[in-house]
């Protein structure tokens, strides 16, 4: 199950207020600027800074490459 497109249109990182990349197959939203991943549990984005995961450089590169390869666009245009 994927997030509602209307919700995706307004989702932003709670820290820098910028757009996110949504990976439905990984149940996560990702902020490439801060290298921070937010979980999506039971179709609910967990947008708490304290619960976000900071990813390694290798994981960041993988996520950015995956977004490019799969045509994943940011939640909104900054």
């Amino acid at each position: 199950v994927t997030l509602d497109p209307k919700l995706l249109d307004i989702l932003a990182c709670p820290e820098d207020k910028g757009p996110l990349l949504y990976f439905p197959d990984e149940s996560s939203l990702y902020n490439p600027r801060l290298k921070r991943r937010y979980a999506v549990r039971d179709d609910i984005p967990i947008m708490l800074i304290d619960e976000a995961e900071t990813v390694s450089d290798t994981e960041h590169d993988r996520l950015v490459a995956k977004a490019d390869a799969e045509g994943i666009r940011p939640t909104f245009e900054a």
Side-chain angles (χ1 to χ4, degrees), residues 12-76:
C13 175
E15 187 165 343
D16 74 0
K17 312 300 186 233
L20 301 163
L21 299 172
Y22 176 46
F23 296 95
D25 61 328
E26 297 186 23
S27 297
S28 66
L29 290 150
Y30 182 60
N31 179 338
R33 299 167 306 284
L34 301 178
K35 296 183 180 177
R36 189 164 292 146
R37 177 172 29 209
Y38 297 91
V40 176
R41 295 187 199 116
D42 298 321
D43 301 327
I44 300 169
I46 311 301
M47 304 303 294
L48 302 171
I49 294 169
D50 291 346
E51 292 197 26
E53 170 193 6
T54 300
V55 304
S56 67
D57 290 343
T58 302
E59 180 67 356
H60 167 79
D61 293 344
R62 182 189 75 80
L63 290 168
V64 170
K66 180 177 180 171
D68 288 342
E70 296 182 7
I72 295 173
R73 309 289 351 131
T75 51
F76 62 88

